[in-house]
Amino acid sequence: MARVAGVSVSTVSRVFTAPQRFRDETRQKVYAAAEQLNYAPNRMAAALTTGRTGNIGLIVPNLANPLFPEMVKAAQHQSRRQNLAALLGDSDDDADDEEKLIRALSKDVDGFLLFSSLLREEQIAEVGVLRPTVFVNRRVDGYPCVLVDALQGMRQLTQYLSNLGHTGLLYLAGPANSWAANDRLEALLQAGAETGLQVDVSAPNRPGFESGNLAAEQLVRAPLPSAVVCFNDVMALGVTARLLQSGVRVPEQVSVVGWGGTQLAGYTTPAVTTLAVPLGELGSRAVDQLLLDHACPTQQDPGPVSLGVTLVPRATTGRARVS
């Protein structure tokens, strides 16, 4: 295969075990030769000689949440481009199960991408040293992180609602043990203060459709807020569905906003206004960060990668009702 690719035998071997160390041109020559010769590297043999498996572990809190499949798919595609295999685990929104998954997979992977990790600080101190780790949608000092700029997104939203005549909103908060939930809440409170919007905050909620349904049931028993902003798109779908079932007109009586930019939020009727996160880029950039950490393990931490958020106005938001 080295002769077909026009490179040395050692280069072929190292492209498969440490692809991040080579230029795209060199990698593509080797991969093209491998495809031409129907060659597949023996990962087990490579692991014995190099200490590397050619696998990375992807851990998500809940695959049923439509935020995560798009991120995971992008991470898988980016891994495949680097000749790496991605192993997937679902922690069922449980920090202890997340730790168990990391320990179970640590011997079979070269590193981890932890999406919206719920690990407690003492757990991170124990399992974060098992393999190189990148945190996605959570900031952890001392580790590579890929985040979104929640404050930038919330500023767009509060200005948009203010322009529609809203003077306040109710925020349906996310889980108490979620870094992203706390980050999003702090960003909304700051953006609301800057815009002059009154922000009322609910008790913490599980990030699901049922939580949105239950919250809407409570809303219809009291004076309705003019706008409801939800922790994520799934909750916003639950709120919207139950409000409509209860005879509340959306957005004429209540505007509803989600977070995430999931495809599902745009497919429903009415389509849900959302703050769209670049889900695919989060997944692919996380793989890049992991490979960079492998290639330069002693490099000084450059700080987190922060991606922008885009407001996508749709049918669930409108002008504030006139009392």
Side-chain angles (χ1 to χ4, degrees):
M1 181 168 41
R3 185 169 60 253
V4 174
V7 299
S8 68
V9 173
S10 62
T11 295
V12 170
S13 175
R14 285 181 290 145
V15 163
F16 284 114
T17 57
Q20 71 277 6
R21 296 180 182 272
F22 294 88
R23 293 177 300 173
D24 285 342
E25 180 184 359
T26 303
R27 291 199 301 265
Q28 292 309 316
K29 285 181 179 179
V30 174
Y31 296 157
E35 184 175 358
Q36 179 182 337
L37 299 173
N38 293 318
Y39 169 79
N42 186 324
R43 295 187 184 276
M44 186 172 293
L48 291 173
T49 57
T50 66
R52 293 192 173 181
T53 66
N55 303 324
I56 62 174
L58 315 181
I59 309 295
V60 300
N62 188 347
L63 267 177
N65 185 328
L67 278 173
F68 296 112
E70 192 171 339
M71 285 191 275
V72 166
K73 196 171 188 66
Q76 288 177 321
H77 286 171
Q78 187 70 353
S79 300
R80 197 173 299 129
R81 293 187 192 102
Q82 303 298 332
N83 198 44
L84 299 169
L87 308 182
L88 178 62
D90 183 333
S91 68
D92 287 323
D93 288 312
D94 187 281
D96 293 333
D97 283 347
E98 183 177 349
E99 179 184 354
K100 290 174 184 176
L101 278 170
I102 293 170
R103 291 189 183 278
L105 290 174
S106 62
K107 294 180 180 179
D108 299 316
V109 300
D110 299 321
F112 284 103
L113 307 184
L114 303 184
F115 294 86
S116 298
S117 173
L118 299 175
L119 290 175
R120 298 181 292 276
E121 290 187 6
E122 64 271 18
Q123 292 175 305
I124 293 174
E126 290 188 10
V127 300
V129 298
L130 296 177
R131 287 289 184 270
T133 299
V134 173
F135 287 87
V136 184
N137 209 27
R138 177 175 177 177
R139 182 166 190 160
V140 180
D141 291 339
Y143 290 86
C145 305
V146 183
L147 311 173
V148 294
D149 190 342
L151 180 57
Q152 175 244 353
M154 292 304 188
R155 281 172 169 158
Q156 292 180 62
L157 174 61
T158 54
Q159 188 60 60
Y160 168 70
L161 291 176
S162 179
N163 290 345
L164 290 173
H166 296 274
T167 58
L169 61 89
L170 171 66
Y171 181 60
L172 298 183
N177 63 340
S178 164
W179 180 91
N182 292 322
D183 181 56
R184 226 165 284 171
L185 173 57
E186 290 177 5
L188 180 56
L189 291 173
Q190 180 175 336
E194 293 172 355
T195 313
L197 279 179
Q198 173 66 38
V199 178
D200 296 320
V201 182
S202 76
N205 295 278
R206 290 183 62 82
F209 186 89
E210 297 79 8
S211 295
N213 257 213
L214 291 172
E217 288 181 5
Q218 298 298 318
L219 290 179
V220 298
R221 297 172 186 169
L224 290 168
S226 71
V228 178
V229 177
C230 302
F231 170 68
N232 64 17
D233 285 345
V234 181
M235 288 177 66
L237 289 169
V239 168
T240 302
R242 184 50 59 91
L243 287 176
L244 292 173
Q245 289 170 3
S246 302
V248 176
R249 289 172 294 134
V250 177
E252 291 83 0
Q253 290 178 270
V254 180
S255 290
V256 180
V257 181
W259 173 285
T262 59
Q263 293 181 359
L264 183 62
Y267 292 159
T268 58
T269 302
V272 174
T273 295
T274 185
L275 285 161
V277 171
L279 300 173
E281 190 177 358
L282 277 170
S284 60
R285 291 288 291 272
V287 175
D288 293 341
Q289 287 296 106
L290 186 62
L291 293 177
L292 180 63
D293 192 49
H294 261 301
C296 308
T298 60
Q299 177 177 294
Q300 186 176 2
D301 181 11
V305 173
S306 184
L307 306 179
V309 179
T310 304
L311 175 67
V312 182
R314 292 190 180 124
T316 58
T317 47
R319 297 201 64 81
R321 66 180 184 273
V322 179
S323 301

